[in-house]
Amino acid sequence: MDAEAQDSFREFVEHRSSALLKTAVLLSGGDRHTAEDLLQNALIKAAGRWQRIDEPEAYVRQILYRQQVSRWRLKWPGRELSVAEPPEAGAGGDASSDAELRLLMRGALARLTARQRTVLVLRYFEDLPEADVARILGCSVGTVRSTTHRSLARLRALAPELTAVGPADTGRPQPSPDYSPVEVRP
């Protein structure tokens, strides 16, 4: 790697490593040490091909996803969530409720299998369409849909306390408390 490419790589790592680490933490189920290893390995792989990469962030994210898929295919045993640092302060609103929500979500994600967690992170944190998630994970769109459905159901079953923290938006109109059915005749 020439000096110009090294500078470009260093600049990329300085500016984008914190966002990439957040994704890696979510993919690893909240284990920051595993996330750091995941990101470091992805950056090492990217450094070897740096001069041939068109979109560096997309390339590194792809490596993160694929490494995580490889990890859960190996069926590594789950690890206990340990938190050594206090959570970050929220951007707005009540910081303690934001922190509580993050901790609840991180704990709930950690209780899912690695495959379920990966699909949810890609679909909802990274906001990728089902087709892209399927391409990244090397499976069909139907598999992504069914895994997403099962993962959300399991998340709701494992962490019912999440429904108490925020409103559950099911996409369906909710009846008002004073709802009474009305018969409509043509």
Side-chain angles (χ1 to χ4, degrees):
M1 185 183 307
D2 63 4
E4 183 179 327
Q6 279 183 339
D7 291 341
S8 171
F9 181 73
R10 281 190 187 114
E11 183 178 324
F12 171 77
V13 171
E14 286 176 16
H15 289 96
R16 299 305 306 153
S17 62
S18 64
L20 292 168
L21 182 60
K22 288 178 184 178
T23 300
V25 168
L26 288 172
L27 287 171
S28 65
D31 185 351
R32 186 170 175 96
H33 298 292
T34 302
E36 289 171 350
D37 290 343
L38 194 66
L39 180 58
Q40 184 175 5
N41 289 337
L43 290 173
I44 288 170
K45 288 181 180 182
R49 299 182 50 94
W50 188 252
Q51 293 172 312
R52 294 174 284 196
I53 298 173
D54 293 330
E55 297 181 37
E57 184 161 355
Y59 187 82
V60 172
R61 286 182 185 276
Q62 182 82 11
I63 295 171
L64 284 173
Y65 306 145
R66 290 188 176 177
Q67 283 184 350
Q68 184 60 24
V69 167
S70 295
R71 286 179 184 235
W72 58 256
R73 283 187 177 154
L74 291 174
K75 296 186 179 183
W76 284 14
R79 295 190 175 189
E80 179 181 330
L81 173 67
S82 58
V83 180
E85 301 172 5
E88 302 168 353
D94 184 14
S96 65
S97 66
D98 291 346
E100 178 185 350
L101 179 60
R102 274 195 309 277
L103 290 173
L104 283 172
M105 184 56 75
R106 184 178 287 173
L109 284 172
R111 289 184 264 172
L112 295 175
T113 66
R115 180 182 184 126
Q116 291 172 328
R117 184 172 50 248
T118 301
V119 168
L120 290 181
V121 167
L122 291 174
R123 283 287 291 129
Y124 298 108
F125 179 74
E126 292 294 322
D127 199 26
L128 294 177
E130 292 169 339
D132 289 351
V133 175
R135 184 182 45 77
I136 289 169
L137 299 179
C139 62
S140 70
V141 173
T143 301
V144 171
R145 287 179 183 157
S146 63
T147 304
T148 302
H149 176 76
R150 288 186 193 116
S151 301
L152 288 172
R154 184 154 186 246
L155 190 66
R156 287 182 194 106
L158 289 174
E161 64 271 14
L162 285 174
T163 57
V165 174
D169 183 17
T170 60
R172 287 180 246 136
Q174 300 295 320
S176 64
D178 60 341
Y179 173 77
S180 59
V182 175
E183 185 177 335
V184 178
R185 295 183 184 175

